[in-house]
Amino acid sequence: MSRENIIRWAALLVLLALIALFTALNPAFLSQRNLARIAIAAAPAMMVALGVTFVIVMGSIDLSMEGAVSLAAVLFCLLFVKLGGALLPWGWLAVPVIVLFGAFYGMLTGLVHVRLKIPSFMASLAMGFVGTGAAVMITGGEIVRISDSTFRMLLTWRILGYPLMVYVAIACIFIALFIQKHTVLGRNFYAIGGGEELAHASGVNVRAVRIAGFALAGAFYAIGAIFQVAKLGQAEAATGANFMFVSITSVVVGGVALWGGVGGVWNAVVGVLIVNVIANGMVVIGLPNFLQDGVLGVLVILAVVLATDRRAVAFVK
């Protein structure tokens, strides 16, 4: 296998190597029950990672996901309860409403970034704080619960041993792939990430595409929030905690370049699986809790080293 092919498939090879390692240390790692556990943990993070991938591909960064997920989850629970507290006959309306809200929230982040000419990392970080603060204000620090068994079927209804939520997540991955590969918007993300000035000279409305990218990311964050509510059966101001680390780490580990124009949905999917396999594997082999974060950090660095072609950039900033 040539060096180029090794680099291209490095993230997947890292994932397979990790699976082999943890299976060798404890054969129970490869059991269907444990694989389902990994899939459940990965589903919400996968949606958030898909969303931020579009932003990173166009050369920006989005750090608003924790606030966006928390606020979307809280609003989803409140609206679901307001519509009767059951998926049927009216509770299902909360799903498209919150996805649209997520897109609107992302659009606001994009507008702050583009119109006010604030760096994307600062604009998105500020909007993340706004989302978390709004979630605290709305809930008063309380937990909002959903007990509808039909909605919770996303977690409890299993097909071939895996919950329905996993199959919905797979469908969302294919939607993201379609956007990336077969839409003008997806191609424009790469055009901007490859060189904003060149994209502008080619007739791309860079401002509009950037705003659309943040809006698309927000929609995926909202789907992740709904998955998180289905998994936990509740929402609070801290529902989005840790999604920033998991999502950004995952896309970078998977091979999405932070300078834009390189990588995509497939890389994000593999990256999320790598991070979740590492986290789950450390539990399965019985690693003490106080060591897990440190080991995860070291393994993530190693995964990035193996999965990234650092010759493609002269300087990493």
Side-chain angles (χ1 to χ4, degrees):
M1 183 180 289
S2 67
R3 177 179 174 83
E4 288 72 20
N5 283 330
I6 292 175
I7 292 172
R8 180 181 178 185
W9 297 101
L12 182 59
L13 293 174
V14 168
L15 175 61
L16 295 176
L18 286 169
I19 293 173
L21 171 64
F22 288 125
T23 302
L25 293 173
N26 187 342
F29 176 84
L30 208 57
S31 67
Q32 186 182 60
R33 176 177 295 182
N34 191 58
L35 293 178
R37 192 178 295 119
I38 294 173
I40 292 169
M46 186 75 73
M47 298 302 99
V48 177
L50 291 177
V52 79
T53 294
F54 290 117
V55 176
I56 292 177
V57 161
M58 62 181 182
S60 296
I61 192 70
D62 190 354
L63 305 178
S64 68
M65 60 280 292
E66 292 190 358
V69 169
S70 294
L71 183 56
V74 166
L75 291 178
F76 174 78
C77 285
L78 291 173
L79 181 58
F80 192 90
V81 172
K82 188 72 173 178
L83 292 171
L87 195 64
L88 298 174
W90 302 114
W92 65 270
L93 287 172
V95 174
V97 169
I98 295 305
V99 173
L100 289 174
F101 169 78
F104 174 74
Y105 189 89
M107 183 186 70
L108 288 180
T109 303
L111 285 170
V112 171
H113 163 47
V114 171
R115 297 297 182 184
L116 299 182
K117 297 182 179 180
I118 299 175
S120 58
F121 82 92
M122 186 57 68
S124 60
L125 185 63
M127 286 298 292
F129 288 136
V130 169
T132 302
V136 173
M137 183 177 65
I138 292 171
T139 61
E142 300 295 326
I143 295 175
V144 186
R145 291 182 170 84
I146 289 181
S147 57
D148 179 48
S149 59
T150 305
F151 171 70
R152 295 298 306 283
M153 284 175 67
L154 278 171
L155 178 67
T156 59
W157 186 23
R158 302 208 168 198
I159 302 173
L160 300 177
Y162 295 90
L164 181 61
M165 179 167 59
V166 173
Y167 296 95
V168 177
I170 292 172
C172 290
I173 291 171
F174 280 106
I175 292 172
L177 281 169
F178 178 83
I179 293 172
Q180 173 187 298
K181 293 178 176 293
H182 301 291
T183 67
V184 174
L185 183 62
R187 291 191 290 271
N188 284 342
F189 289 154
Y190 284 91
I192 294 174
E196 184 173 329
E197 293 182 0
L198 182 60
H200 181 74
S202 301
V204 176
N205 188 334
V206 174
R207 285 188 166 192
V209 172
R210 285 198 181 279
I211 294 171
F214 278 93
L216 182 60
F220 276 97
Y221 298 163
I223 297 172
I226 294 170
F227 281 179
Q228 191 73 347
V229 172
K231 187 172 75 171
L232 302 175
Q234 63 184 41
E236 57 181 320
T239 298
N242 203 41
F243 275 106
M244 184 189 301
F245 168 79
V246 172
S247 60
I248 299 295
T249 299
S250 297
V251 296
V252 174
V253 166
V256 179
L258 288 175
W259 53 88
V262 177
V265 170
W266 168 249
N267 302 88
V269 170
V270 175
V272 170
L273 293 177
I274 287 174
V275 171
N276 280 273
V277 162
I278 291 173
N280 177 272
M282 289 189 297
V283 174
V284 170
I285 65 176
L287 198 69
N289 289 336
F290 65 89
L291 289 177
Q292 289 181 15
D293 287 343
V295 173
L296 178 60
V298 171
L299 291 177
V300 164
I301 291 173
L302 290 175
V304 172
V305 169
L306 294 172
T308 304
D309 182 11
R310 292 173 307 286
R311 299 180 307 167
V313 62
F315 179 69
V316 178
K317 57 183 178 179

